[in-house]
Amino acid sequence: GIAYILEHMNIPMENAYVFGDSNNDLPMLSYVPNSVAMGNASPASLFDQVSFVTKRASEDGIAYALEQLGFFES
């Protein structure tokens, strides 16, 4: 699915980012180099599989990650 969307939208893989919080997200997190685990991810071993770990979802983890990754400033 990710490959199809990236090709359809003409987005290079290096410009794609994915967010996940559980083992069911592992295929997606492993496929895209810019992968982000939420701070509340379970199991914690997921943190070793991603390029960035952000705050918990309840702590605005997506916004925090986007800021840290240079998409915008707070």
Side-chain angles (χ1 to χ4, degrees), residues 37-72:
M38 301 304 295
N40 56 298
S42 179
S45 61
L46 194 65
F47 298 149
D48 297 331
Q49 308 294 318
V50 299
S51 58
F52 186 80
V53 177
T54 189
K55 295 181 178 182
R56 302 172 65 82
S58 61
E59 298 171 327
D60 296 324
I62 292 177
Y64 177 79
L66 292 174
E67 180 183 325
Q68 296 303 303
L69 295 168
F71 286 94
F72 65 84

